[in-house]
Amino acid sequence: MNTKKLDENYIAATYSRAPLVAVSGKGALVLDADGKEYIDLGSGIGVNCFGVCDDEWVQAVEAQLHRIQHLSNLYYTEPQALLAQKLCERTGMKKVFFGNSGAEANECAIKCARKYSFDKYGDGRSTIITLQNSFHGRTMATLSATGQDAMHVNFAPFLEGFTYAPAQDFPALEALCGGKVCAVMLELVQGEGGVIALDKAYVEKVASLCAQRDLLLIIDEVQTGNGRTGALYAYMQYGISPDIVTTAKGLAGGLPLGCALLGEKVENTLSAGTHGSTFGGNPICAAGALSILSRLDDALMSEVMAKGEYIKSELEGSKGVKSVTGLGLMVGIETEKDAKTIARECLEQGVIVLTAKSKVRLLPPLNIKKEELAKAIQILKGVIAQ
Ligand code: PLP
């Protein structure tokens, strides 16, 4: 039986999959089961930051596979400890908690914020403000944190203690900051919500309000992090110092790894037994992440910014394009034509693009070759214009 049929018969129908059976690839090129080649402008939703089967990354992962794959967090493993050290050194954060995904990273942040507040102020100061149109994950807590009504059908009751502020409206957020609030959680570029970057002035005001009122500032960098926006983490481009930063997706270059980076205020909040994960920070994933992190340097970040600018300059004013949004290699394209139709037609023509709400979304590998990017953008432009 072929893969599509098996999938249909045996896998829960939670995804409307595009008709591509991925078999192999190299860098930004992906091959399907019929040997057709695609230029990938999606990176597995911002995960394969150095594309498919990058040599250095494969070598690092393979070397660790031959040593030990897992022994649990009851014991120490070197790749995990080294990765935590490198992440702290490069961010100025103090401690790291490892999980396996973005949702788990955010679960940790939510628990940590509530415990910080409980330890310091006692009961009843547990509300977390998030933004309307945000996306923080699919678990019950992170879905509760997600400020999208459409996601709040079917699964009630949700977790108490989340309230949603309209994005970019500082007085509205300030008005929600009553005595029950312990934290504010933001994506600096709303990804799933349509690739919308928050204004720097708004973010600065929120950050200083949080500092004044001892509200923890949690920045969800699950999608923006790990070089995607042209900095190691997007908060660095905004000039703020969050209390907690969560990340996942590109962190291990294609292996499941997420983490919450914990700043000074919360470095000792999570004590033994208060949180955990069987697989989190697994040595294979940590070895992959160490390889990725060592290459997210200034030269690559300039390249990410330059490629982002190139995409923008090609698409802005192009036929059928209404606007181009985003930061670095996280790009949203508002089009006259339906975005899902564009994604389908691009796939037919050998280019993988994503969508976010009503927009076309691009999250290409950070090191995509210029020729590949140029070829894919010409095809995309043609499809949008048709
Ligand atoms: N937070 C943000 C900003 C995301 O974009 C996502 C996934 O798209 C998540 C959290 C959830 O991550 P995961 O699917 O790894 O649980």
Side-chain angles (χ1 to χ4, degrees):
M1 214 183 273
N2 73 20
T3 305
K4 282 184 201 162
K5 206 77 206 140
L6 284 172
D7 184 300
E8 227 172 87
N9 287 353
Y10 296 110
I11 296 183
T14 61
Y15 307 102
S16 17
R17 298 196 203 271
L20 187 170
V21 181
V23 171
S24 62
K26 194 76 197 160
L29 301 178
V30 171
L31 285 180
D32 75 7
D34 302 318
K36 179 175 165 181
E37 193 174 85
Y38 301 82
I39 302 175
D40 183 13
L41 300 186
S43 307
I45 323 184
V47 167
N48 301 336
C49 43
F50 287 92
V52 177
C53 295
D54 169 81
D55 288 335
E56 262 187 73
W57 176 84
V58 168
Q59 219 173 49
V61 171
E62 201 177 282
Q64 185 57 40
L65 261 173
H66 291 290
R67 288 186 198 115
I68 189 164
Q69 82 277 24
H70 176 84
L71 201 66
S72 93
N73 283 313
L74 298 175
Y75 310 97
Y76 302 94
T77 54
E78 190 182 67
Q80 187 183 125
L82 281 176
L83 177 61
Q85 179 198 22
K86 296 250 176 318
L87 285 167
C88 288
E89 282 175 359
R90 293 201 46 193
T91 59
M93 303 301 272
K94 300 293 180 201
K95 295 271 164 62
V96 185
F97 175 84
F98 289 109
N100 309 283
S101 65
E104 284 180 57
N106 286 336
E107 286 275 345
C108 175
I110 291 163
K111 283 179 74 175
C112 187
R114 288 189 171 170
K115 185 166 183 305
Y116 170 82
S117 192
F118 181 82
D119 290 348
K120 196 162 169 185
Y121 300 99
D123 235 344
R125 191 179 177 276
S126 55
T127 296
I128 298 175
I129 299 176
T130 66
L131 295 188
Q132 290 172 9
N133 197 45
S134 58
F135 182 76
H136 298 293
R138 301 272 187 178
T139 61
M140 285 308 294
T142 57
L143 203 53
S144 304
T146 292
Q148 296 192 47
D149 290 343
M151 298 221 170
H152 290 172
V153 284
N154 299 327
F155 303 111
F158 289 90
L159 217 66
E160 286 174 24
F162 291 94
T163 184
Y164 317 104
Q168 316 277 30
D169 184 344
F170 179 71
L173 186 138
E174 194 177 24
L176 290 174
C177 287
K180 290 185 173 171
V181 175
C182 67
V184 175
M185 177 149 98
L186 307 172
E187 295 160 270
L188 294 171
V189 184
Q190 292 190 327
E192 301 304 308
V195 200
I196 304 162
L198 296 180
D199 292 340
K200 198 159 181 263
Y202 167 77
V203 173
E204 279 165 357
K205 277 191 204 158
V206 174
S208 61
L209 178 75
C210 285
Q212 277 160 31
R213 308 233 182 140
D214 197 18
L215 309 176
L216 296 180
L217 179 61
I218 305 169
I219 301 295
D220 178 343
E221 298 239 23
V222 169
Q223 194 160 151
T224 52
N226 313 300
R228 176 57 50 194
T229 61
L232 181 57
Y233 291 102
Y235 79 80
M236 296 167 172
Q237 288 159 303
Y238 279 79
I240 54 166
S241 303
D243 298 299
I244 304 178
V245 175
T246 58
T247 193
K249 288 198 186 283
L251 180 60
L255 290 171
L257 183 66
C259 74
L261 302 168
L262 309 170
E264 210 161 11
K265 276 190 181 177
V266 289
E267 66 173 313
N268 297 315
T269 300
L270 296 172
S271 50
T274 55
H275 200 43
S277 160
T278 298
F279 286 115
N282 166 287
I284 307 287
C285 303
L290 274 168
S291 154
I292 298 291
L293 189 59
S294 71
R295 293 159 70 193
L296 298 178
D297 56 17
D298 289 348
L300 183 70
M301 294 306 97
S302 315
E303 220 186 279
V304 167
M305 290 310 281
K307 285 175 192 164
E309 285 306 314
Y310 165 77
I311 295 174
K312 216 171 169 198
S313 69
E314 281 292 315
L315 288 164
E316 263 174 352
S318 175
K319 188 169 174 223
V321 173
K322 289 196 202 163
S323 69
V324 185
T325 58
L327 192 58
L329 281 177
M330 187 169 175
V331 181
I333 309 157
E334 192 190 3
T335 50
E336 283 162 15
K337 190 166 156 182
D338 170 59
K340 291 211 159 49
T341 308
I342 293 170
R344 192 183 36 131
E345 290 178 8
C346 277
L347 201 66
E348 284 163 13
Q349 296 197 34
V351 175
I352 299 173
V353 303
L354 305 165
T355 60
K357 289 274 169 80
S358 61
K359 289 186 185 172
V360 174
R361 174 172 45 153
L362 309 181
L363 301 169
L366 306 181
N367 65 343
I368 186 170
K369 292 183 185 137
K370 286 189 182 128
E371 318 80 78
E372 290 166 346
L373 182 61
K375 186 173 168 196
I377 293 297
Q378 289 321 306
I379 293 171
L380 171 63
K381 275 169 79 172
V383 168
I384 293 173
Q386 268 164 26

